[in-house]
Amino acid sequence: QQQVKQSPQSLIVQKGGISIINCAYENTAFDYFPWYQQFPGKGPALLIAIRPDVSEKKEGRFTISFNKSAKQFSLHIMDSQPGDSATYFCAAHRGNGNQFYFGTGTSLTVIP
Amino acid sequence: DTAVSQTPKYLVTQMGNDKSIKCEQNLGHDTMYWYKQDSKKFLKIMFSYNNKELIINETVPNRFSPKSPDKAHLNLHINSLELGDSAVYFCASSRTGEKLFFGSGTQLSVL
């Protein structure tokens, strides 16, 4: 079964707008929640990550909001740029076995 | 130097053939993985290998087998290739509890 649920499947945003991608999980054993960015023909690359003892983490234009009680976390991309157009994956890490589980991905298109 | 390198980048082969994809990491990580990404971009874990412990996703056909000659290498062998095996295969590695590094992928096309 899908360990991490991600929405929306695709997102179109105007340049300068805010892109928001949401993820949810059930397993309370998860201890680390990274977001990955993937450009066509490339492997996914770590964008930003958060641990469950923190409710928000910001790095430049990228922010993760984390709601432990709701078991939800989201990625906000402020001032979205055409260069941000990519596929974004949320993920959850389980320490037992050092396993990473990925969401189904969101294809983001930023229109100039 | 590339942190996680996999070869070949492209692999085109006929149904029924046996093929291998190689992966090497120079990061000193203790866990290596194989992921499959299908045409819908879903990233599905196939295997992870940590200090000689192999964790297998139960949905992976036994035609797929990982081989780890040492901590820095995890190769993927595929027997009797099928059309449905066509996908991009990513090798990845991590140190326990830390971020995952991906290779650049191997595009497998089975004709």
Side-chain angles (χ1 to χ4, degrees), chain A residues 27-94:
Chain A
N27 191 339
T28 55
F30 291 146
D31 58 6
Y32 174 65
F33 299 88
W35 284 89
Y36 282 80
Q37 180 187 56
Q38 185 182 24
F39 292 105
K42 303 291 186 183
L46 180 68
L47 187 62
I48 186 173
I50 197 167
R51 297 201 182 268
D53 53 348
V54 176
S55 62
E56 185 175 281
K57 184 171 182 180
K58 183 175 181 179
E59 290 184 0
R61 297 185 293 109
F62 301 91
T63 300
I64 300 177
S65 296
F66 189 84
N67 186 328
K68 189 174 181 178
S69 60
K71 298 181 200 171
Q72 295 175 348
F73 57 111
S74 60
L75 175 70
H76 292 65
I77 306 174
M78 311 300 287
D79 186 26
S80 297
Q81 299 296 314
D84 297 330
S85 297
T87 301
Y88 292 81
F89 294 92
C90 61
H93 174 264
R94 189 189 72 201

